[in-house]
Amino acid sequence: QSMLQKIKEEAVQRFCWDHLQIEVSVDWLQSFDHSDEFCRECLALIEETSEGSIPQTGLEILNEVLRDIEKEYYLKRTLKDYAKLYHIHPNHLSRLFKQELNLTYVDFVTNIRMNSAKERLLESSEKASEIAIKVGFEDARYFSQVFRRHFGITPTEFRERYKVI
C-alpha cells in the first residue's frame, strides 16, 4: 500500500470523525473497486448520518444489527447485507460478532431460528415443515437436521416430549 493511499484513507477517516462523528474502518475504505462507487456510498452515509439514523461505533452498529436480526430472522439476509446496510465492511462486522458475542453471524441467526421453532412447536399444531419455512428454512429436512444438532432430538420428538395439552 502506498504512502499516498494511507494519507487519503486517514484523511477520509478524519473527515468522517470530525464532521459526521462516525468511525469508518480502513477495511470499509478499501472495499470499493471504483471511485464512483465509493462516492455514492459516502454520499449515502452523509445523508443517513444527517438524519441521525446511523449508529456511530462498532458496538452500536452490532446492537442495531442484532435488533434487526431478532425482528427479521426468518428472512434470507446475509452478514454482507447487514454490513452494506450499516456501511461497515463485512469482515469488521464478522469480527464484532466474534469479539462481543463469541459467535459467528450464522450461529447467532441459527440460535434465534431454533428458539423460535421450539416455541412454535410447543404453542401451535403447525407441521414441522410449516414451522421450518416460518423460521427461515426452505428445506424441512435440513431444518430437522439443524434442530436435532441444536437440541439433541428431532422437532417431532421435541413436540411429543414437551408439549402440554
Side-chain angles (χ1 to χ4, degrees):
Q1 183 180 359
S2 73
M3 188 63 153
L4 182 60
Q5 182 64 27
K6 274 187 168 186
I7 292 169
K8 287 178 185 178
E9 287 170 357
E10 287 175 12
V12 171
Q13 286 177 312
R14 183 170 179 145
F15 173 84
C16 287
W17 182 251
D18 289 350
H19 297 284
L20 304 173
Q21 283 73 51
I22 58 169
E23 290 180 47
V24 294
S25 71
V26 172
D27 288 340
W28 181 76
L29 292 171
Q30 293 173 347
S31 70
F32 298 99
D33 296 327
H34 304 289
S35 59
D36 56 336
E37 179 186 359
F38 174 74
C39 288
R40 278 195 304 278
E41 283 298 313
C42 284
L43 290 172
L45 185 62
I46 290 167
E47 186 177 301
E48 288 180 37
T49 303
S50 65
E51 294 169 4
S53 64
I54 290 271
Q56 295 181 7
T57 67
L59 191 55
E60 288 173 344
I61 290 171
L62 179 63
N63 286 329
E64 289 292 319
V65 170
L66 296 178
R67 273 193 286 277
D68 288 350
I69 293 169
E70 287 172 2
K71 285 187 249 170
E72 55 194 29
Y73 61 88
Y74 51 87
L75 297 175
K76 278 270 185 227
R77 294 260 168 96
T78 65
L79 179 101
K80 284 183 181 180
D81 294 331
Y82 287 109
K84 185 172 183 165
L85 181 67
Y86 287 100
H87 307 284
I88 184 173
H89 194 278
N91 293 346
H92 185 53
L93 183 56
S94 180
R95 277 193 300 274
L96 287 169
F97 267 92
K98 263 309 206 194
Q99 286 171 356
E100 301 298 328
L101 305 174
N102 203 26
L103 291 171
T104 65
Y105 168 80
V106 171
D107 290 340
F108 182 79
V109 173
T110 300
N111 286 343
I112 296 221
R113 288 177 172 177
M114 289 296 103
N115 287 327
S116 178
K118 186 172 74 169
E119 288 175 24
R120 287 173 183 273
L121 285 164
L122 296 175
E123 296 171 1
S124 76
S125 57
E126 295 172 304
K127 293 179 183 178
S129 59
E130 294 170 339
I131 291 172
I133 291 167
K134 289 184 177 179
V135 300
F137 288 85
E138 293 175 9
D139 181 353
R141 225 168 114 224
Y142 179 63
F143 163 73
S144 212
Q145 291 170 345
V146 173
F147 192 94
R148 183 180 197 130
R149 256 196 319 263
H150 208 79
F151 296 113
I153 56 178
T154 67
T156 304
E157 292 167 339
F158 180 84
R159 180 177 267 161
E160 289 169 0
R161 190 177 297 176
Y162 297 107
K163 186 161 182 161
V164 178
I165 299 172

